[in-house]
Amino acid sequence: MTSATTTAAAAAATAKRRANGIRQGDITRLLPRPLLITVITVLLVIVLGPVIYMLFSSVNSDVAVAGGAFFPTELHFDNYIKVWSTVDLGNGLMNSVIVCVSVAVVCAFLAVATAYVLVRYEFRGRLTFLRSLLGLQSIPGTLILLPVFVLFSSLATILGIQIIGTRPALFITYLTFALPFSTWVMVTYLRGLPKALEEAARIDGASSWRILTRIVVPLSWPGIVVSGIFAFLLGWNDVLFASVLTNPETRTAAVALQVFGATQEGGAIPLYGQMMAASLICAVPVVALYLVFQRYLVGGLTSGGVK
C-alpha cells in the first residue's frame, strides 16, 4: 500500500511538472534555459572575442590593424614566418620549456611527498606548517623581487659562481613560489584517499617509500597533474622575475614578447601582425597542455571538496 501510494505521488508530481512545461533536468538548473543560454553566450564572447581578434590581426596588414579593422583586408600568413627572425622567439620558447617543465615535474613530486608526510603523520608544528602554506600565497611577488635579487647576488659573491642570468636562478625562484600551493592541493587530494590500502601494504611489509611510490603516486595522478600545471603556468606567464634574473641568452618567451612590444612603441606603425602571431605561438603550448590533461584537471581540482 505504501509503495503504491509513493508511486502514485511520484507520477502525479511528474505529470504536474509536464503540465507546467518543466522537465526533470530543469529542476536542478539555477537559471531558466533562455537566461542560461544568454549568460553562456555572453561569457563565450568575452573570453573568445580577444582570441579571435588576435587570430584575425595575426594575418592582417599592420596598416589595417592600426586603422581598427577587425576582419583581415588581406591575408598575410607570412607574419608567422617573419616573427621568428624579428623576435628571438625560438630561444625564448626553448628557455621557457626547459625551465617550466623542470619546475613542473620537480614541484609535483615534491608536493606529493610533502603532502603525504603532512597528511599521514602526526608531529609537532604540523598544523602551523599547513597554515603557513596558505599564508605564503598572500605575499605579492613585487615585494619579494628585491630580496631574491640581493640573495642571489650575495650567494654568487660567496660561492664565486654566476647565478643571476642563468636558468637555475629561474628554476629555484619558480619552485619556491609554486611549491606551497602545489603542496596544499596535494594535501587536499590525499585526505580523500582511503588508508586501508596503505595499512594493507604495511601488513605485507612495505616501507613508507614503497607505499608512496607504488600506491599513493599512482592513485594521485589528478592532483599531481594539477600541481604540475600550476607550477608550469606560474613560470610560463611570469615576466617580473624573468626580466630581472635573465640575460639576452636565457630570457624566456614572455620577456621576449615584452621586449618586442617595447621596441614597437612610438615612431612608425608597429608590427601588429607579427606581435599577434608571436602571442598566439606562445599560447599554443598552454592550450595543448590543457587539452591533453583536461580529464585529470577536473578530478584534481574537485577532489576533497565533498566529504
Side-chain angles (χ1 to χ4, degrees), residues 243-255:
S243 60
V244 175
L245 300 177
T246 59
N247 56 32
E249 287 75 25
T250 59
R251 66 175 45 154
T252 60
V255 178

Side-chain angles (χ1 to χ4, degrees), residues 193-227:
L193 293 181
K195 295 182 180 180
L197 296 175
E198 302 175 27
E199 294 172 353
R202 289 194 184 277
I203 293 175
D204 292 336
S207 62
S208 297
W209 175 254
R210 192 174 183 84
I211 291 174
L212 176 63
T213 56
R214 296 299 181 89
I215 297 177
V216 176
V217 171
L219 293 176
S220 304
W221 277 116
I224 292 174
V225 169
V226 171
S227 301

Side-chain angles (χ1 to χ4, degrees), residues 55-62 74-87 271-278 281:
L55 182 61
F56 286 158
S57 299
S58 66
V59 295
N60 202 352
S61 64
D62 300 328
E74 299 177 1
L75 295 180
H76 293 266
F77 293 103
D78 56 339
N79 288 330
Y80 287 91
I81 300 176
K82 294 179 180 178
V83 69
W84 296 99
S85 57
T86 306
V87 189
L271 302 175
Y272 288 117
Q274 296 186 36
M275 291 174 62
M276 297 301 178
I281 291 173

Side-chain angles (χ1 to χ4, degrees), residues 9 24 26 75 114 117 131 151 179 220 226 271 288 291:
Q24 183 73 22
D26 293 334
L75 295 180
T114 305
V117 174
R131 295 189 183 102
L151 178 61
L179 194 55
S220 304
V226 171
L271 302 175
L291 292 177

Side-chain angles (χ1 to χ4, degrees), residues 156-174:
T157 303
I158 296 173
L159 300 177
I161 58 176
Q162 181 67 27
I163 298 179
I164 297 177
T166 62
R167 296 191 191 108
L170 285 180
F171 174 82
I172 296 172
T173 303
Y174 295 154

Side-chain angles (χ1 to χ4, degrees), residues 87 89 241 279:
V87 189
L89 196 59
F241 289 91
S279 301

Side-chain angles (χ1 to χ4, degrees), residues 11-281:
T14 303
K16 184 177 180 180
R17 287 195 298 267
R18 289 177 178 175
N20 294 331
I22 302 175
R23 294 184 301 176
Q24 183 73 22
D26 293 334
I27 300 298
T28 59
R29 295 185 185 276
L30 297 177
L31 297 174
R33 178 175 289 272
L35 184 58
L36 183 64
I37 295 175
T38 303
V39 171
I40 293 176
T41 303
V42 171
L43 292 177
L44 287 176
V45 170
I46 294 175
V47 174
L48 297 180
V51 178
I52 296 175
Y53 176 75
M54 290 174 59
L55 182 61
F56 286 158
S57 299
S58 66
V59 295
N60 202 352
S61 64
D62 300 328
V63 177
V65 176
F70 183 81
F71 294 100
T73 55
E74 299 177 1
L75 295 180
H76 293 266
F77 293 103
D78 56 339
N79 288 330
Y80 287 91
I81 300 176
K82 294 179 180 178
V83 69
W84 296 99
S85 57
T86 306
V87 189
D88 191 15
L89 196 59
N91 185 55
L93 287 173
M94 181 186 66
N95 291 325
S96 292
V97 169
I98 292 175
V99 173
C100 295
V101 171
S102 302
V103 171
V105 173
V106 175
C107 182
F109 286 99
L110 282 180
V112 68
T114 305
Y116 177 73
V117 174
L118 292 173
V119 171
R120 294 295 188 250
Y121 294 92
E122 295 287 343
F123 54 90
R124 187 184 300 272
R126 186 177 70 91
L127 294 178
T128 303
F129 186 82
L130 285 171
R131 295 189 183 102
S132 66
L133 293 178
L134 294 179
L136 290 173
Q137 301 301 311
S138 63
I139 302 177
T142 52
L143 297 180
I144 310 178
L145 178 61
L146 182 58
V148 169
F149 183 84
V150 174
L151 178 61
F152 284 160
S153 299
S154 302
L155 286 176
T157 303
I158 296 173
L159 300 177
I161 58 176
Q162 181 67 27
I163 298 179
I164 297 177
T166 62
R167 296 191 191 108
L170 285 180
F171 174 82
I172 296 172
T173 303
Y174 295 154
L175 183 62
T176 303
F177 295 148
L179 194 55
F181 178 81
S182 298
T183 303
W184 187 259
V185 170
M186 292 309 306
V187 165
T188 306
Y189 189 89
L190 293 183
R191 282 174 176 171
L193 293 181
K195 295 182 180 180
L197 296 175
E198 302 175 27
E199 294 172 353
R202 289 194 184 277
I203 293 175
D204 292 336
S207 62
S208 297
W209 175 254
R210 192 174 183 84
I211 291 174
L212 176 63
T213 56
R214 296 299 181 89
I215 297 177
V216 176
V217 171
L219 293 176
S220 304
W221 277 116
I224 292 174
V225 169
V226 171
S227 301
I229 289 180
F230 170 79
F232 181 90
L233 292 180
L234 187 145
W236 191 270
N237 297 328
D238 174 69
V239 177
L240 181 63
F241 289 91
S243 60
V244 175
L245 300 177
T246 59
N247 56 32
E249 287 75 25
T250 59
R251 66 175 45 154
T252 60
V255 178
L257 287 179
Q258 183 195 38
V259 173
F260 180 46
T263 57
Q264 300 300 312
E265 296 179 357
I269 298 177
L271 302 175
Y272 288 117
Q274 296 186 36
M275 291 174 62
M276 297 301 178
S279 301
L280 289 175
I281 291 173

